Amino acid sequence: MKKGIPITELSVQELYKKKQGLQGVLIGLSLVLLAAFVIILYLAFSSRMPKVLVIVPVCCSLTFLPAFISLGQINTEIKNRDFKK
C-alpha cells in the first residue's frame, strides 16, 4: 500500500488489511503501555511520589488518539461502501 493515498481511493481489501494492521499496532502498543504503567505505578509508590501518576493518563490518551481517529475513519469508509452495495 502506498502511504500518500487517501482512504477513499483504497479498495475494500486494502481497507480491511489496513484496519487489521492498525488494530495489531494498537494492541501491541496497549500491551507495552500497560507494562510501563505497572512499572511506573510500582516506582511511584515505592518512592512515595504518587503525584507522578497524574501525567500517565494524559500521555497514554495522546499516544492513542491519532491511531483511534484513523481506525474510525477506516471503519466509516468500510461501512459506507457496504451500505452502497
Side-chain angles (χ1 to χ4, degrees):
M1 269 186 297
K2 297 177 183 170
K3 299 214 179 217
I5 299 175
I7 61 171
T8 56
E9 296 179 8
L10 295 175
S11 68
V12 176
Q13 291 84 13
E14 289 175 328
L15 286 173
Y16 278 116
K17 190 175 182 181
K18 194 169 186 171
K19 178 182 174 182
Q20 286 178 341
L22 191 56
Q23 283 178 337
V25 167
L26 281 171
I27 290 170
L29 185 60
S30 65
L31 291 175
V32 169
L33 286 177
L34 180 66
F37 178 71
V38 169
I39 292 169
I40 290 171
L41 187 69
Y42 171 74
L43 291 174
F45 283 111
S46 67
S47 66
R48 296 192 173 113
M49 291 179 49
K51 296 176 185 177
V52 176
L53 295 176
V54 174
I55 298 171
V56 175
V58 174
C59 294
C60 290
S61 64
L62 291 177
T63 302
F64 284 115
L65 190 62
F68 278 121
I69 290 172
S70 179
L71 187 62
Q73 290 173 344
I74 292 171
N75 285 333
T76 303
E77 186 66 27
I78 290 172
K79 286 179 185 177
N80 287 340
R81 291 187 187 187
D82 288 340
F83 183 70
K84 290 179 183 178
K85 288 183 180 180

